[in-house]
Amino acid sequence: MGSRTQNAVFVYEVGKPVRLGQRHIPSPKTGEVLVKVTAAQLLPHDSYGRDRGVFIGEKLPFVLGSSLAGTIEELGPDAAPEYELGERVFGTSNLQCPTPDQAGLQQYVILQADSIGRTPSNFSDDEVATLPINVATIMVALFTKFGFMFPAPWEDTPFDFASQTIVVLGAGTNAAKIFTRIAAKQLGIKKIITVASLSNRAALLEVGATAVIDRHAPEDSIIEQVHAAAGGVDNVAMIIDCASWEHHLAASILTPNKPSRLVTLHRVNGATVQETRPLCRATLVQNSNANLGHHAKPFWDVLPRWLESGVVRPTAFRTIDGLENVDEINRQLDEYAAGRGDPQLVIRP
């Protein structure tokens, strides 16, 4: 490979702009592959890392970027035999126990061989780089103990998905749209009530929402409309909140009369929720292959097929070339921190 150093974009100090630097090129261990990065997506949680030290505060200097695509450069010892050098793949770093070796804003990255997907020939690396974190997070939310614990499609377990009702808060986010599409089009859930800006109405109906309620309406009105769409308050026992940092609205929407589930993508204070909804189990979803558990390999095997069949689709994005473009990377992180940033940014190292 020549030189064993590479360019990378670092958080050197929490709360300060990221900067370009150099680090070693890691070597894959047993069960790992080294990937030459061709596209890495920057996401809102990367701004939490830069500005608040979320996930990375004790590990500085750190490299951001969790969703990426590239080509296999090197196979670790006893790596999965189905992969070959030069093969196009996409995957995600481990957000639960992150290391800079797995981060995307560098030229070469380590990924687990049993937790990557093959890039379909009719999709670009830029396109597939928009998927790994968001789709894997939704898998954790749907099929594991950290979420709703539905049986996964690859388990072939009978389940009456059609009778389920789910409320999606923050439904205009990319993760929420992916959740809605998979829940509706792959699982067959018939009642998905979404709360979002009405500018997202057409897109949400297209991916499978059965109702779109204006998030800008007064809170009492939102609660009333959700209950009406669900056919009564006691039919609202499952909510996924994809945007909120506090969960008063979600707790107010849930039925107080029977066990319920609140699944969130931001840290939740379960004790606070239970003050008004003592029968609610509130859980935080964190994407990691560890949290996917036994679902990890079948999920990464099926994801390319879901992409080709339209069960999932790349999200909107824009691109820049070169890790040295750190001013633009910092501008995008600033936009995320301000609650903006669409379309999201894909960097080609």
Side-chain angles (χ1 to χ4, degrees):
M1 184 183 297
S3 171
R4 295 299 297 187
T5 61
Q6 62 172 327
N7 289 332
V9 174
F10 288 95
V11 177
Y12 285 103
E13 185 179 350
V14 172
K16 300 290 186 180
V18 297
R19 306 200 312 268
L20 186 67
Q22 285 199 323
R23 69 184 304 266
H24 72 284
I25 296 175
S27 296
K29 300 180 177 64
T30 298
E32 296 178 340
V33 295
L34 180 69
V35 173
K36 182 177 181 179
V37 181
T38 56
Q41 186 185 38
L42 207 62
L43 287 165
H45 72 254
D46 291 307
S47 70
Y48 313 153
R50 183 196 67 170
D51 299 339
R52 309 180 202 173
V54 174
F55 299 123
I56 67 172
E58 303 301 318
K59 302 178 181 182
L60 300 180
F62 205 88
V63 181
L64 299 176
S66 305
S67 286
L68 58 103
T71 58
I72 294 179
E73 186 80 12
E74 187 178 339
L75 300 171
D78 301 319
E82 65 265 29
Y83 291 107
E84 298 179 356
L85 297 180
E87 193 164 9
R88 295 171 64 217
V89 295
F90 63 113
T92 174
S93 66
N94 184 350
L95 283 182
Q96 191 174 45
C97 300
T99 72
D101 287 352
Q102 296 183 340
L105 293 190
Q106 56 189 332
Q107 293 170 291
Y108 296 91
V109 65
I110 294 291
L111 294 177
Q112 296 167 250
D114 64 351
S115 301
I116 53 179
R118 282 186 171 87
T119 301
S121 60
N122 54 330
F123 286 87
S124 70
D125 290 357
D126 294 341
E127 289 175 314
V128 298
T130 68
L131 293 172
I133 282 288
N134 282 331
V135 183
T137 298
I138 295 313
M139 293 301 99
V140 175
L142 283 168
F143 304 128
T144 78
K145 66 182 180 180
F146 303 100
F148 296 117
M149 295 188 292
F150 292 135
W154 44 84
E155 293 179 310
D156 197 27
T157 302
F159 188 80
D160 184 13
F161 283 106
S163 68
Q164 306 301 308
T165 296
I166 294 182
V167 175
V168 184
L169 303 182
T173 63
N174 285 328
K177 289 174 182 173
I178 290 170
F179 177 93
T180 302
R181 178 180 288 278
I182 293 174
K185 300 186 181 298
Q186 180 63 36
L187 302 183
I189 295 175
K190 298 299 185 184
K191 191 169 286 188
I192 303 174
I193 303 163
T194 61
V195 179
S197 170
L198 293 185
S199 62
N200 289 291
R201 178 180 173 80
L204 286 167
L205 292 175
E206 191 274 331
V207 298
T210 51
V212 182
I213 295 166
D214 185 4
R215 72 176 181 88
H216 298 293
E219 184 172 295
D220 288 348
S221 176
I222 293 173
I223 296 168
E224 181 180 352
Q225 290 180 73
V226 170
H227 291 165
V233 60
D234 283 347
N235 291 327
V236 184
M238 289 185 288
I239 293 179
I240 181 169
D241 191 337
C242 297
S244 304
W245 287 93
E246 61 85 26
H247 301 98
H248 169 76
L249 176 61
S252 298
I253 292 172
L254 282 166
T255 175
N257 302 315
K258 60 183 183 180
S260 60
R261 293 298 304 271
L262 170 59
V263 175
T264 79
L265 303 193
H266 292 149
R267 192 167 300 281
V268 60
N269 187 327
T272 299
V273 172
Q274 288 190 329
E275 287 178 5
T276 57
R277 295 297 183 268
L279 300 179
C280 175
R281 182 184 176 210
T283 54
L284 167 69
V285 169
Q286 287 184 298
N287 163 55
S288 74
N289 291 314
N291 285 347
L292 278 170
H294 69 279
H295 294 302
K297 188 170 187 339
F299 159 65
W300 287 106
D301 286 344
V302 79
L303 181 55
R305 299 198 295 273
W306 281 2
L307 184 57
E308 291 183 299
S309 65
V311 173
V312 296
R313 295 178 182 174
T315 61
F317 65 93
R318 64 186 183 92
T319 62
I320 61 170
D321 292 322
L323 295 173
E324 66 276 7
N325 203 340
V326 288
D327 288 343
E328 185 61 27
I329 292 170
N330 278 304
R331 275 194 291 272
Q332 183 73 18
L333 292 170
D334 291 343
E335 287 291 293
Y336 288 150
R340 301 185 297 267
D342 287 331
Q344 293 175 337
L345 181 65
V346 170
I347 300 101
R348 299 165 175 162

